[in-house]
Amino acid sequence: MQHWTSPGDTPSQLKPCVATFGNFDGVHRGHRAILDELVRQGRERELPVVVVTFDPHPVEVMHPERAPELIAPGSLRDDFLREAGIDGVLVLPFTAEFAQTSAVDYIVDTFVTGLGAAALVVGADTKGFGAGYTGDVSLIRELGEQHGFDVVVIEDQGDEERWSSSAVRTHLAAGEVEAAAEILDRPHRVVGTVVHGHHRGRDLGYPTANLGNDTLGLVPSDGVYAGWLTRLDLPEGSVDRRLPAAISVGTNPTFDGQVRVVESYVLDRTDLDLYGELVAVDFVGHVRPTLRFDSIDELLEAMARDVDTTRAILAP
């Protein structure tokens, strides 16, 4: 999957193409409906498929006080786009100056001149792009007729609630990783490098892999979760690549901790040396909220119960 940052630098092999645009934070089921149609249109037309997105998130530039914490930023989002079958990602640098581009100029410069798009696939709720937030699906249809590209519109997706990035964030903020997974169509994932911590878990018989400050992905609310730890540096198919884990998110209040940490205990394993490895942590189920215990014995009893609950949640 190729990346570039200016429409004028579009690789020749990706032009013409079928395209779409948006933030695609989380690449959830609503996004996948658009991406699946994008790929279908590309195959039908025998053309490559391209996603146009922005960095940073437009809200971060225009309204930083309410900028969302991203569910799957940067390379993590790109991994999900690659899995969806995307051939190229045009990442437009979003600045205050860029925000003054008219909706018409944005569509024409990016998709007509830059990408030579034969078709543009968009969600029915696509609106508010371009200077003055004037762009919408009607405008895209008009420009498609003028410039000779097809417009394919995908209706809003969802069962009991609309599948959206904001809904995923709401569920993760409440520790509802199962509900988030329903919208994402996969367990929510964070990725980071394993670093040294205080080694309390090892001393207690539950050695943990602590993620460092380079963690990518929105961390759910404090609590204990059942999930999987994947060692991304190991080849696909390796015996110890994907491992069941009890995951703790929080400041370790029993020890008066101050720093919020994501740490994973791989079930029944005390022999692993994961320091320096890049790992993915997938949150499958909520076990319990973070609690402060009055003694180490109480903590150990709770940890034993957490492992049992984790094992039951992850059981086939």
Side-chain angles (χ1 to χ4, degrees):
M1 189 173 75
Q2 298 194 56
H3 293 75
W4 65 104
T5 58
S6 171
D9 294 333
T10 299
S12 58
Q13 64 270 33
L14 296 181
K15 181 180 179 178
C17 65
V18 179
T20 187
F21 70 94
N23 293 303
F24 292 98
D25 183 29
V27 193
H28 52 65
R29 292 170 75 183
H31 295 145
R32 284 301 299 260
I34 294 172
L35 297 174
D36 289 348
E37 179 61 22
L38 182 74
V39 171
R40 192 189 74 77
Q41 290 282 337
R43 288 175 179 165
E44 185 176 279
R45 300 164 188 263
E46 298 184 340
L47 292 174
V49 294
V50 171
V51 167
V52 176
T53 188
F54 313 97
D55 184 41
H57 193 292
V59 177
E60 186 177 331
V61 175
M62 305 305 292
H63 302 283
E65 73 283 356
R66 51 186 175 90
E69 188 173 356
L70 298 183
I71 300 163
S75 61
L76 191 51
R77 177 200 61 203
D78 291 348
D79 287 342
F80 296 134
L81 291 176
R82 186 180 298 106
E83 291 171 5
I86 303 308
D87 298 307
V89 180
L90 168 56
V91 183
L92 296 174
F94 196 94
T95 63
E97 182 181 3
F98 178 81
Q100 297 309 307
T101 305
S102 73
V104 171
D105 286 346
Y106 163 66
I107 295 295
V108 174
D109 293 348
T110 304
F111 299 99
V112 179
T113 305
L115 297 175
L120 190 53
V121 181
V122 296
D125 64 340
T126 299
K127 60 183 178 181
F129 61 88
Y133 308 103
T134 57
D136 58 16
V137 172
S138 295
L139 175 65
I140 296 173
R141 290 189 190 277
E142 290 177 15
L143 293 173
E145 292 177 1
Q146 292 175 24
H147 294 278
F149 63 83
D150 295 332
V151 179
V152 180
V153 179
I154 305 300
E155 295 302 317
D156 282 355
Q157 305 290 309
D159 296 327
E160 294 182 1
E161 64 178 333
R162 180 173 173 269
W163 295 333
S164 68
S165 299
S166 59
V168 173
R169 291 188 192 97
T170 297
H171 288 307
L172 293 178
E176 299 165 352
V177 295
E178 300 93 339
E182 281 293 315
I183 300 174
L184 293 169
D185 202 27
R186 64 177 188 276
H188 175 58
R189 167 171 286 196
V190 300
V191 172
T193 303
V194 179
V195 300
H196 287 276
H198 295 288
H199 302 285
R200 296 192 189 103
R202 184 170 298 279
D203 293 340
L204 295 172
Y206 295 93
T208 59
N210 294 18
L211 298 190
N213 294 329
D214 65 343
T215 301
L216 282 178
L218 176 56
V219 177
S221 66
D222 291 1
V224 178
Y225 300 87
W228 299 92
L229 182 143
T230 301
R231 303 170 68 184
L232 299 176
D233 293 332
L234 293 185
E236 292 277 357
S238 298
V239 173
D240 280 343
R241 189 171 194 269
R242 185 170 183 263
L243 302 164
I247 306 157
S248 173
V249 176
T251 60
N252 291 310
T254 300
F255 297 98
D256 296 320
Q258 301 298 314
V259 179
R260 196 163 183 252
V261 177
V262 178
E263 51 185 328
S264 304
Y265 164 65
V266 176
L267 302 191
D268 307 319
R269 298 293 294 271
T270 59
D271 60 323
L272 297 172
D273 183 359
L274 303 178
Y275 297 118
E277 287 195 26
L278 184 68
V279 301
V281 176
D282 295 327
F283 294 83
V284 174
H286 186 266
V287 174
R288 64 169 173 84
T290 295
L291 301 171
R292 180 187 179 93
F293 297 96
D294 294 327
S295 69
I296 298 300
D297 286 341
E298 287 185 14
L299 172 61
L300 287 171
E301 290 174 3
M303 292 171 75
R305 291 193 297 271
D306 295 340
V307 168
D308 290 341
T309 303
T310 296
R311 203 185 310 278
I313 291 173
L314 299 178

